[in-house]
Amino acid sequence: MNTDFTQGLNPMQKAAVLHTEGPLLLIAGAGSGKTRVLTHRMAHIAGHLARPYEMLAITFTNRAAKEMKERIHRLKPYDAHDMWVATFHSCCVRILRREIHHIGYDNSFVIYDMDDAAKLLKGVLKEMNVNERQFPPKSILSAIGRQKDELVGPEDFAAMSAGNYRDEIMAEIYKNYQKQLYGNNALDFDDIILKTLELFMRHPIVLDKYARRFRYIMVDEYQDTNTAQYQLVRLLASVHGNICVVGDDDQSIYGWRGANIRNILDFEKDFYGAAVIKLEQNYRSTGNILEAANGVIAYNQGRKAKKLWTRAQPGESLNFFKAESDYREADYIVEKISQGLADGAKHKDFAVLYRINSLSRVIEEKLVERNMRYRIYGGIRFYERREVKDTLAYLRAIHNPHDDISIKRIINVPKRGIGGVAVDFFEKIAAEHDIKFYDVLKNAEMYSQNTARNRKIANFIELLEDFRARAAELPLEELVKEVLTKSGYHSSIVAEDEADGTDRAANLSELINKAAGYEADDLDENEGQTSALAAFLEDVALVADIDDHSENDDTVALMTLHSSKGLEFPTVFLPAFEEGIFPTYRAVTSGEPAEIEEERRLCYVGITRAKQRVYISMAGRRRHNGQTISNAPSRFLQEIPQELVESQAVPITPPPPPRPAFKRTERAAQNIDFNQAAMQPNFGKKWDLSKIKKM
C-alpha cells in the first residue's frame, strides 16, 4: 500500500501534512482543499507515527465527519475505522456514555432537543408560578445556553445576578431546570460539552485517560469554537500537545451563538511554539469571484493577512441587478435559473442564499409558478416532524424510563384513555413524594382508586416493559417496527386524513429505513460497544438540518447564508443586498465594528460558495416586517472592486480603500504552558473550570 500521502498536493498542503509534532495552526482559505489536507495528514500519521485509535479529529457537522471518514477509509481502509472522527458533541457523548456515572448520572441518559427542553422548562415555570409571557421559554433556554457556553453554572449565575431582580429569577429558573434535567437523567444540547468539562475537572484521572490516549488531535472549523469547546480542546491536548487546528478567521460567522474569533486569532499565544501554515490557493472559484471576495474582506480589521488566488481563468464578471420590487427581483432570479436550465445546467447547480429566512417566500412563489424543483433548508426538519418525534419518544422511554418528557408525550399516543388530568395527578404525586414519575405510574393503584384508569396505565407500563425486554434481543429495525405496530401508532397514523396520513406513514417508513441502515460504531476492542439503540438515539439527536443536504438532490437550494457554509454551487444568487438587511439593521445601528465585521465575513462566505457565477440583486422597494421599505445598496456591494461587476442598475460609488489589518489586544484568558502545567492548567479567574458546580 502506498505510504506517501503527499502526492498531488501543492507545497503548502504538503507542508501541512508533514508537520506533525507540536501545535499547528492551519489557515485554510475557502476552497483551498482543507478536507483533503486533513485526511491525508491523518493517514500519514496513522501510517507512520501512531495507531489509529490514538487519533482524534473533531468537525462541526455530521456531514463533514462522514465525508472525512470516507476519505480516510479510501486512503487507509484497514485502519480508518478505529479513528475518532466526530463532531464536538458526538465526541463528548461518546465519552459521557462511558464516564458520566462519575458525576452522578446514569449512563443511559437521553439528550433533549429544543422542543423537549422547552417542555421541561415550561413545567419549571409552572411549578415556580412564573409568567411565561414575561419569561418566554425559548428565550430563557437561549440565555441558559449562553451561560453554559461560557462555563457559568447556576450557582455562579446566581452570584453574578445578585441585586438584579429579573436575573435573580432567571438564576432560580436555571437552577430548577438543571435539577429537573438531572432528575430525568437527561442532558440538553448545551450540557453535552459542559458536562464533559465538569467530568474532566472533577475527575482528573478520567481526563488523563483521554488526554494520554489522543496523541494527535485535529480540530476543523476552529474559528467557530466557543469558550466551552476551546477549553475542551486545550484539556485534551494538555499531555501530548500535538494539536492541529484548521480554520479561516474570514469565515467566522457564528458570533451570535457564542463562537469566539479570538480563539483562532490568538492560537499562537495560547499554544507556545505553534507553527502557522496558510493555504491560500483556491480550487473552487474563478479568479473574478476570488478577487471580489478578497476586495470585500480586506475592509475587516480583525483578521490574519491572507489572499485567495487560483490558477483558473478569471471567468465571468459578477452580475448586479437592481429590481423595481422584491417580486421583480424574484422574477430575475428565476429567469436566470431558467436560462441556465435551458443551457444544460441542472437544478442542483443553483443556490439562492439570503440573509434572513423571510426572504425565501417570494422566491419560492416564483419557483412554484415556473414548476421548478427546489428545496428550502431550515424548514421543519425530518426529526422534528410529529410522527417521527412520537416514535423517537417511544424509543427514548424504552432506553431510559426516567425520561419524563418522553413518557408524558406517549402515554396517550395513540389515544388510550389516559388524559391530561391523570398525568397532572400522578405528576403531583411524584413531586410530593420525590419519586420518579415512571415509578409512580408503575404503582398507580397505590395512589389512585380509579380502577379503570389504573388498568389503562398498567397496560401502558406493561407495553413499555415488554418493549424494553425485546430491545435487548431484537435488531434495531425490528424493534422500531414492533413499537409502531404493537403500540397501535402506525395504524392510528394511517387512519388520519388520507393525504396527511399517507405522508406521515411514509415518514415512519423512512425512519425504519434509517434504523435498518444504522450500525453503531465500535469504540475499540477494550471499551466494548454502545448499544445500537443508544447510539441511534444519539445520532438523531445530534443531526443538523444541513447534514441532509445531498449533491444527489436535483433541486434548487434555498438557504440562509449561515447554512451555506461548507457547501459549493456552480451558480449562487445573493438577493436583498441592501443596508438594513445585509448588513442587518441591528449591525448597522449597533455602533459595534465587530458586528459589521461579522456581517462582512458572512458576505465573504456567500461569494466564495460560487464556482462560476455570482448574481447579486436588490430591490427599489420591498415588503419587510409588514411595511413597504426602500433601502440603499449594501456597503458590501460598494466594497467589491467595480471593474469586477457587470451592473444593470445605477452606478455604485466605491468606498475609500481598506485600512491595513491591525492586531488587537489579547483576551483575558491566560496561556497554558503545557510543559509545566499538563494536568493542572491555570486558566485565570474567568476560565477557572475547577469552579464548575454540579448541576
Side-chain angles (χ1 to χ4, degrees):
M1 180 184 295
N2 175 35
T3 58
D4 181 4
F5 297 103
T6 64
Q7 293 181 3
L9 302 182
N10 68 41
M12 299 309 292
Q13 291 175 331
K14 181 181 292 189
V17 169
L18 296 178
H19 191 290
T20 56
E21 304 306 305
L24 172 63
L25 171 60
L26 190 56
I27 299 293
S32 61
K34 67 166 184 173
T35 303
R36 187 182 188 197
V37 172
L38 268 178
T39 52
H40 281 245
R41 188 175 189 272
M42 293 177 69
H44 171 73
I45 292 172
H48 300 281
L49 301 170
R51 289 165 289 191
Y53 64 80
E54 296 176 315
M55 300 168 62
L56 169 65
I58 301 177
T59 70
F60 265 81
T61 67
N62 292 302
R63 183 174 179 270
K66 181 180 179 182
E67 179 184 359
M68 195 176 293
K69 285 180 182 177
E70 291 173 348
R71 290 198 189 191
I72 297 171
H73 184 74
R74 288 196 293 268
L75 291 169
K76 288 188 70 63
Y78 302 107
D79 293 329
H81 180 73
D82 292 331
M83 294 180 185
W84 278 39
V85 184
T87 64
F88 269 104
H89 290 88
S90 295
C91 173
C92 287
V93 168
R94 199 165 175 175
I95 293 171
L96 291 173
R97 191 61 71 188
R98 278 144 199 81
E99 314 287 356
I100 200 171
H101 59 277
H102 291 294
I103 55 174
Y105 287 77
D106 188 276
N107 291 58
S108 64
F109 66 87
V110 295
I111 302 168
Y112 282 173
D113 62 16
M114 180 62 78
D115 184 52
D116 296 322
K119 288 180 180 177
L120 184 68
L121 187 62
K122 286 181 180 181
V124 170
L125 297 177
K126 181 179 179 181
E127 190 175 288
M128 293 176 60
N129 197 28
V130 172
N131 191 326
E132 285 189 25
R133 292 184 178 180
Q134 295 179 329
F135 292 86
K138 291 197 173 180
S139 296
I140 299 301
L141 283 176
S142 179
I144 289 174
R146 286 194 297 271
Q147 298 304 320
K148 291 180 179 180
D149 286 346
E150 292 299 319
L151 310 179
V152 178
E155 293 182 22
D156 294 325
F157 186 60
M160 293 163 50
S161 304
N164 184 309
Y165 176 72
R166 182 177 177 83
D167 283 354
E168 286 178 345
I169 295 177
M170 280 276 296
E172 191 67 17
I173 294 171
Y174 185 5
K175 182 183 74 173
N176 291 333
Y177 171 70
Q178 290 302 122
K179 182 180 178 181
Q180 289 289 330
L181 280 172
Y182 180 76
N184 288 359
N185 196 36
L187 306 180
D188 68 14
F189 197 71
D190 298 302
D191 274 329
I192 294 171
I193 297 177
L194 184 63
K195 289 299 177 184
T196 306
L197 288 170
E198 180 184 341
L199 168 70
F200 285 167
M201 297 310 297
R202 290 174 57 193
H203 297 275
I205 293 177
V206 178
L207 168 60
D208 187 60
K209 170 184 175 181
Y210 290 95
R212 292 190 181 280
R213 170 178 177 156
F214 296 125
R215 293 177 55 201
Y216 293 90
I217 299 173
M218 278 145 282
V219 183
D220 195 10
E221 305 288 3
Y222 191 66
Q223 77 281 346
D224 293 334
T225 52
N226 60 29
T227 298
Q229 292 160 341
Y230 162 79
Q231 298 291 12
L232 179 71
V233 169
R234 292 178 67 145
L235 288 176
L236 288 175
S238 60
V239 171
H240 299 292
N242 296 323
I243 172 74
C244 170
V245 302
V246 186
D248 180 6
D249 50 298
D250 289 337
Q251 297 186 71
S252 179
I253 59 174
Y254 296 113
W256 52 277
R257 70 181 188 193
N260 187 349
I261 193 173
R262 302 309 309 174
N263 292 347
I264 190 167
L265 294 180
D266 292 345
F267 182 82
E268 299 102 304
K269 300 173 185 175
D270 294 335
F271 294 89
Y272 179 76
V276 180
I277 297 175
K278 296 180 182 180
L279 303 182
E280 297 171 289
Q281 183 176 356
N282 179 280
Y283 294 91
R284 175 190 299 158
S285 307
T286 64
N288 284 340
I289 290 174
L290 296 182
E291 285 301 311
N294 287 331
V296 171
I297 202 63
Y299 283 86
N300 271 9
Q301 301 298 299
R303 62 185 295 262
K304 291 181 177 291
K306 72 187 77 67
K307 187 175 183 179
L308 296 180
W309 63 276
T310 181
R311 296 188 186 279
Q313 295 298 313
E316 299 180 16
S317 298
L318 283 71
N319 290 270
F320 171 64
F321 178 72
K322 182 177 181 180
E324 296 176 359
S325 67
D326 48 353
Y327 281 91
R328 181 67 188 94
E329 180 186 37
D331 280 330
Y332 166 78
I333 292 171
V334 174
E335 182 59 34
K336 289 296 181 183
I337 295 174
S338 179
Q339 291 174 8
L341 294 173
D343 291 337
K346 297 181 178 179
H347 287 79
K348 66 180 181 180
D349 294 336
F350 303 94
V352 184
L353 312 180
Y354 34 78
R355 180 61 183 86
I356 51 178
N357 274 307
S358 60
L359 294 170
S360 68
R361 182 187 62 82
V362 177
I363 299 168
E364 182 181 10
E365 289 178 5
K366 296 298 181 180
L367 288 168
V368 171
E369 286 178 9
R370 299 291 287 270
N371 197 31
M372 290 183 179
R373 296 190 295 274
Y374 69 94
R375 179 177 177 184
I376 295 181
Y377 294 85
I380 298 178
R381 294 170 49 211
F382 176 77
Y383 294 110
E384 291 176 349
R385 292 166 184 166
R386 187 247 297 178
E387 62 278 7
V388 175
K389 283 185 69 71
D390 286 345
T391 307
L392 291 176
Y394 268 101
L395 297 176
R396 287 184 358 189
I398 292 167
H399 178 61
N400 174 18
H402 295 144
D403 178 5
D404 289 358
I405 295 297
S406 293
I407 296 292
K408 292 172 188 175
R409 183 181 183 102
I410 62 174
I411 194 170
N412 201 39
V413 175
K415 294 188 182 302
R416 48 176 63 95
I418 309 173
V421 173
V423 172
D424 290 343
F425 174 80
F426 289 109
E427 189 175 22
K428 184 178 180 181
I429 295 293
E432 289 176 350
H433 293 81
D434 195 22
I435 304 173
K436 300 294 185 183
F437 181 67
Y438 187 74
D439 293 335
V440 172
L441 293 179
K442 288 175 68 174
N443 299 283
E445 70 283 353
M446 292 177 55
Y447 307 103
S448 170
Q449 297 182 4
N450 189 327
T451 306
R453 183 175 65 187
N454 292 344
R455 187 180 305 112
K456 294 171 184 176
I457 292 174
N459 291 338
F460 171 68
I461 295 296
E462 183 179 351
L463 180 71
L464 284 186
E465 293 293 332
D466 181 57
F467 287 153
R468 190 167 295 114
R470 297 284 284 162
E473 58 191 42
L474 284 178
L476 183 59
E477 175 190 6
E478 296 304 317
L479 175 64
V480 176
K481 288 180 179 178
E482 191 160 301
V483 166
L484 291 173
T485 53
K486 287 191 174 182
S487 68
Y489 187 71
H490 187 271
S491 58
S492 72
I493 288 294
V494 173
E496 291 182 0
D497 173 78
E498 183 176 352
D500 193 39
T502 300
D503 288 342
R504 294 187 184 281
N507 289 333
L508 293 177
S509 295
E510 183 58 31
L511 186 63
I512 293 172
N513 292 338
K514 167 73 176 177
Y518 186 81
E519 296 180 4
D521 290 333
D522 290 328
L523 292 181
D524 62 42
E525 294 180 358
N526 298 322
E527 293 187 65
Q529 180 179 351
T530 303
S531 75
L533 176 57
F536 176 76
L537 291 172
E538 290 167 12
D539 188 45
V540 299
L542 300 178
V543 71
D545 179 51
I546 202 61
D547 290 330
D548 294 332
H549 179 266
S550 171
E551 294 181 358
N552 297 322
D553 293 337
D554 190 19
T555 56
V556 177
L558 274 63
M559 65 181 71
T560 65
L561 285 153
H562 284 98
S563 296
S564 72
K565 189 163 171 292
L567 304 178
E568 58 183 42
F569 305 90
T571 300
V572 164
F573 294 90
L574 301 172
F577 238 61
E578 304 162 21
E579 288 286 298
I581 294 180
F582 191 29
T584 63
Y585 178 78
R586 174 179 174 178
V588 170
T589 59
S590 69
E592 293 292 334
E595 292 205 24
I596 290 293
E597 292 209 350
E598 179 149 330
E599 292 284 306
R600 188 175 284 112
R601 291 193 293 269
L602 195 56
C603 178
Y604 175 86
V605 166
I607 293 173
T608 55
R609 297 313 92 198
K611 296 180 180 180
Q612 299 165 7
R613 285 171 293 278
V614 175
Y615 292 94
I616 298 171
S617 59
M618 65 172 292
R621 66 179 186 278
R622 72 171 65 248
R623 294 288 293 177
H624 184 62
N625 291 333
Q627 296 180 332
T628 299
I629 60 174
S630 179
N631 295 317
S634 168
R635 68 187 67 193
F636 305 145
L637 174 64
Q638 302 173 56
E639 292 169 358
I640 298 173
Q642 293 306 293
E643 66 272 14
L644 302 176
V645 180
E646 181 179 320
S647 178
Q648 299 180 42
V650 296
I652 302 300
T653 303
R659 293 170 290 172
F662 67 93
K663 293 183 179 180
R664 298 186 178 182
T665 57
E666 58 185 285
R667 58 184 169 194
Q670 297 180 7
N671 296 334
I672 297 177
D673 182 344
F674 288 103
N675 295 322
Q676 299 181 12
M679 291 306 299
Q680 297 296 330
N682 176 19
F683 292 111
K685 185 175 182 181
K686 182 178 179 181
W687 308 90
D688 189 355
L689 298 184
S690 64
K691 292 185 178 180
I692 294 179
K693 302 295 191 298
K694 179 179 177 182
M695 301 180 191

